[in-house]
Amino acid sequence: MADDTLDIVIVGAGLSGINAAHRIQSTLPDRRFAIFEGRGRIGGTWDFWKYPGARTDSAMVLFGFPWYPWRARNNMAAAHAIRDYLEEAAAAEGIDKKIRFRHRIVEARWSSGEQKWTLQVDVTVENGAVRREVVKTWWLFGAGGYYSYDKPLDAVIPGIERFGGEVVHPQFWDEKTVYAGKRIVVIGSGATAVTLLPALAKTAEHVTMLQRSPSYVFSVPGKVASPFWGKFLPQSWSESLNWWTKMFLDSFFVWFLYAFPNFGKMIVRGAMRKELPKGFDLDKHFNPRYNPFEQRLCFCPDGDFFKALRRPNVEIVTDTIKTVTETGISLNSGQNIEADMIITATGLYLVLLSGMAMFVDGVQINDSLGQRYAWHGTMLEGVPNSGIITGYTAGTWTPGADLRVRQLIKVIRQMEKKGATSATPYVDDAERAKFPRAPLMALSSTYVVNAADRLPLNANTGPWRAGKTWLTDGWHLLFGSVTAGMRYTIGKGKDD
């Protein structure tokens, strides 16, 4: 539909986008919206990842939607199951009819004169040809996640070009890839590596997880029992109570590890010690230099990662790479690892705005993201009628993403109340000079640190804070001001 006009465009038909659509049609029923999805299917990350064992590392009760409960008993779910769940949820709410597949926004331009965004959209048709459409929208919700589907993190691995076997990045895993019977080295220690290891170990000849630095891995039950109150309460009440109970426990767990990092480290390491084989060198392989949640805490269902380490065909090596050879990897300790396949699970290339070029009155903002503060973790300083919907990196993603979209809706309702045509976060120069320059994503992981110039800033004060827990963010949503740090335009060029 060329030269279209909408009230709200949501970018991305993944978990955050589907949830945003539900919130909009539930609370802003008169607003015309659509989801623009560059791929051909619902699911986002959960349709994209194809590597063996791909799954969530959060409890599905919270990772799913409170308005469409996850009813299976598995605590964590495989990628394909999450994708199927998203399709069911979207169909149940009629959201699937609001999705425009193979619509990739390549450029978004805000005009203060029009008080609208003009989107340049590349639409891929059945024969693979691409046509350009122009769409105007009042608001733009970015729900496309925070990493590039097209570009992985560039990791420097000396001599990798000499390797005579197969080099695979999990991000581009081909489902036809054969790994059974092979000697495999997985480079990395994050969530992807922790997920890959148990799946590969089932059929590979040998699997080595090669890590430069250790991570925390925490085992959780693979199945969840039905809550006892389900016997006495209606299903909807029981599911709601279950969600709230899990949410408070999850929030408390995150808060506790942040508030008491040394004690939290002791608890997590103690749990790992119980899961590992007797005599395993915990201090060498599972003694991170950072506290829990300074980098992502990895979870595994029923200790499958630790069980894999008990297999005779699995080992973990903590060392640095001297060079890759034709037949394997030579380490700085002098050890050599023979391999037929190297899997580079070395991290993601972080990028916001789904890769689109974004302009405000002719000025491109992509290169200045690292200089702009984020209003309540979702709207960018100086960028009108636009929000970035992301979830938590500590704790479960979905509750954070839900609070972000509800914050945006709160702003829109304030605009309706005022009769405003735009809302733009702003910071006075004097106030800005006092702000710290903390990163929006407070992780010390290499892939996050390397992306500092591509991520907004967090001042940790007032509306310029990015909350770490659902409880604090929920408090600010309910009781925080939508006028502090916000400039509303009423009529033509009149700010309030």
Side-chain angles (χ1 to χ4, degrees), residues 329-358:
I329 299 177
S330 176
L331 304 177
N332 282 312
S333 64
Q335 181 181 353
N336 293 302
I337 306 174
E338 298 296 309
D340 306 307
M341 175 185 288
I342 294 175
I343 300 176
T344 54
T346 51
L348 305 168
Y349 183 82
L350 301 193
V351 59
L352 295 181
L353 311 179
S354 297
M356 75 177 81
M358 207 165 180

Side-chain angles (χ1 to χ4, degrees), residues 76 217-221 271-272 275 298-304 306:
M76 297 179 180
V217 184
F218 198 75
S219 177
V220 297
M272 288 193 292
E275 294 278 354
C298 300
F299 293 90
C300 62
D302 287 333
D304 65 349
F306 299 107

Side-chain angles (χ1 to χ4, degrees), residues 53-69:
R55 57 162 172 78
T56 179
D57 60 354
S58 299
M60 285 303 302
V61 169
L62 298 180
F63 197 73
F65 305 124
W67 48 269
Y68 194 83

